[in-house]
Structures are given as structure tokens and as C-alpha cells.
Amino acid sequence: MNTLTISTISKTYSNGVSALSNVSLELGNGLFGLLGPNGAGKSTLMRTIATLQSPDTGTIHLNGINVLEKPLEIQKQLGYLPQEFGMYPTLTAETVLNHFAVLKGIKNAKQRKERVHYLLEQTNLFVHRSKKVGGFSGGMKRRLGIAQALLTNPSLIIVDEPTAGLDPTERNRFHNLLSALGEEAIVIFSTHLVDDVKELCTNMAILSEGKVLWSGIPEDAIEEMGGRIYGKHIHRADLPFYRSNFEVIAELLFRGKPQIIVHAHTKPGHDFEPLEPNLQHVYFSKIHAHQA
Ligand code: ADP
């Protein structure tokens, strides 16, 4: 079992943007979803954990090792897949992976080949190993990126927005791969899609404007919302009235008709329909409470 302890991390960029503010989280093996809108600070947090940039204050420990003081030691235990993963379009998948394996210090050619083949198989790319990476689909590129991140058998895997641009089949396949990795390592992935977290994560945090609004087990958050989520179809013109008189956490179009989702401790009116809470409601309500 691995543990990652993030304590009171803050970061303000030189342009004055406060990207992280007092972030504290405790993670173990399994999939951890970092959910938040664009600009929430997800990439900043991930780059900080991956020792690619320093925070202003705070500490991070991986299995007792101080990450910020011993970056080289951490990099050996870390697999990092950034949002934009540079590839070499004219090289084959096997050549690319072999190249990364050399860079990561796997010196023995036989060991290297074995590891590369093993990871190509793990990521379902073995049959494509002799194809040029430039012709790969988005999902295949992401999987090759993961194979690269796994070369040194990391205890901590960080993937930034892994499902962006993937079609549903590729996304599903990628989810399965991440789930399997979570059995032996801490896997952190960031997303702005609630569905990614709902389907996948054992633990999660909601981040907005650099702050952790909530962290824990998705099912617990959903249970907390029991009996507190109501929906109502309305006329578009009445929206301002509802916004000022109710805690409207979301405004949706349901089969072309405007619908509001309201958070309330008791039924807000006879024409409101109680809804079975889901993670989307949790997300909307935490973001709404933060902005209010
Ligand atoms: P996310 O990954 O959730 O979209 P980021 O960590 O990329 O969020 O960004 C958080 C905030 O910090 C945003 O307001 C962004 O514009 C700002 N930011 C990110 N990187 C830099 C940087 N290198 N210099 C200045 N501001 C930055």
C-alpha cells in the first residue's frame, strides 16, 4: 500500500493568480479523481506533485519521503502523463517506447525489450507496435503515453485530463486500464467531466479556484444529498425569479425544455419534483455554494 500526503500546498503565479490555496489531501492506492472546472488548479497541483514546479508553501510526502526535498528519488517512483504528450510521428510505437526506456535508465537491451513488449501488451498496443505513431488515434496515443509512464513500475501515476478527445469506446478502454493500475499504485487523474469520476474513482476531490471544496468517497457525497435535490420545468422568462428565490444549482435543457435543479432541505413547492441525487448534483451544489 502506498500513501501520498499533501499538506497545505499554496501557489500564486507571478501574475498574481492564486492557483492553489491551502490544498491538503491524503491518498492511498486506487483511482483518485481530481474534478474541477477549467482553471481550477488541477494541472498546477499535478505538476507540483510530479516535482515539475515548486509550491510557495506546504509539503508533499510519498511513502514517507519528502517529495519537494528529494525530487530525484520521487521521479524514480513516478509515472507522469501530461495533457500534451509529445510523440515522434515518424517512429513506430516500439521505437518510441524503447527510446523512453533508454532515457529512464533501463540500460540492459534485453530487459528493455521485455519491458517494452510487456507494456505494449498491457496497453493493447502490441499488434500496433510496428506502426508509426503519427497514424495513431487519440486513444492509442493516450495508451502509449500510459505505457511510457509505466516503464519504471511507478508507485504513483499522474495523468492530466486523460480522456479529453477520446470517443466512448476508447474512453472506456482507457478507464479499464487506469482501474487495473489502481490495484497496485496511487493513480491520480484530473478531469472536468463528472462522468469520468462517477464511473471510475474510489476517492475524489472537487477543486475550484485553487481550493478543495470537498474530498472523500463519491457515494458518501451522493448519500449526503438524499432528499435535497429537486427539479422543475420552467419558462425561460421565469429564470431570474427562481435564481433569486431558490438555491438553483443548475439550469439544464431537458428534451428542449428549460429545467432548474434546486438544492433544498425541504420540498421547495408542490410543483417541484424530488430527484434521485447523483454526482453531477453533488458537483453543481459544491461549486454553487462556493460561488455564493
Ligand atoms: P486546470 O488544470 O484546473 O485547468 P491550471 O492549474 O492550469 O488549472 O490553472 C490554474 C490557474 O492558474 C488558472 O487561472 C491559470 O490561468 C493559471 N496559470 C496556470 N499556469 C500558469 C502560469 N504558468 N503562469 C500564470 N498563470 C498560470
Side-chain angles (χ1 to χ4, degrees), residues 98-117:
N98 185 57
H99 180 66
F100 278 106
V102 172
L103 290 179
K104 291 201 177 186
I106 309 177
K107 293 201 177 76
N108 180 302
K110 184 164 172 280
Q111 263 179 12
R112 210 162 55 225
K113 188 170 183 177
E114 273 169 18
R115 186 77 190 148
V116 164
H117 278 195

Side-chain angles (χ1 to χ4, degrees), residues 124-176:
N124 276 311
L125 289 172
F126 192 74
V127 290
H128 306 295
R129 67 188 181 283
S130 305
K131 290 185 190 152
K132 286 184 182 158
V133 170
F136 273 20
S137 70
M140 287 159 81
K141 283 184 185 155
R142 294 313 265 169
R143 280 185 276 132
L144 186 61
I146 278 288
Q148 162 277 139
L150 295 178
L151 277 164
T152 50
N153 217 358
S155 48
L156 173 63
I157 299 163
I158 298 178
V159 278
D160 205 348
E161 298 261 356
T163 56
L166 300 191
D167 70 36
T169 313
E170 284 180 328
R171 193 167 144 248
N172 192 33
R173 193 193 278 259
F174 200 75
H175 279 177
N176 290 340

Side-chain angles (χ1 to χ4, degrees), residues 205-243:
I206 298 175
L207 199 68
S208 182
E209 294 175 348
K211 296 189 184 70
V212 176
L213 305 185
W214 185 85
S215 71
I217 299 166
E219 286 79 20
D220 288 353
I222 294 169
E223 205 170 305
E224 257 175 48
M225 292 278 149
R228 295 187 181 180
I229 301 294
Y230 298 88
K232 186 180 177 184
H233 293 285
I234 60 160
H235 293 290
R236 203 178 297 273
D238 296 334
L239 198 50
F241 165 79
Y242 285 101
R243 274 193 201 144

Side-chain angles (χ1 to χ4, degrees), residues 27-46:
L27 285 73
N29 280 15
L31 251 62
F32 188 94
L34 197 56
L35 176 66
N38 287 333
K42 303 181 298 292
S43 293
T44 301
L45 181 59
M46 295 187 133

Side-chain angles (χ1 to χ4, degrees), residues 33-94:
L34 197 56
L35 176 66
N38 287 333
K42 303 181 298 292
S43 293
T44 301
L45 181 59
M46 295 187 133
R47 287 197 303 264
T48 307
I49 301 168
T51 74
L52 298 172
Q53 67 180 69
S54 306
D56 299 330
T57 57
T59 57
I60 302 175
H61 287 86
L62 176 62
N63 297 332
I65 301 169
N66 188 322
V67 170
L68 305 174
E69 283 175 3
K70 300 200 168 138
L72 293 179
E73 216 162 304
I74 292 308
Q75 281 159 22
K76 283 185 220 148
Q77 294 191 47
L78 174 79
Y80 176 59
L81 176 58
Q83 236 172 66
E84 296 294 327
F85 172 59
M87 294 273 186
Y88 304 86
T90 57
L91 302 183
T92 68
E94 182 166 359

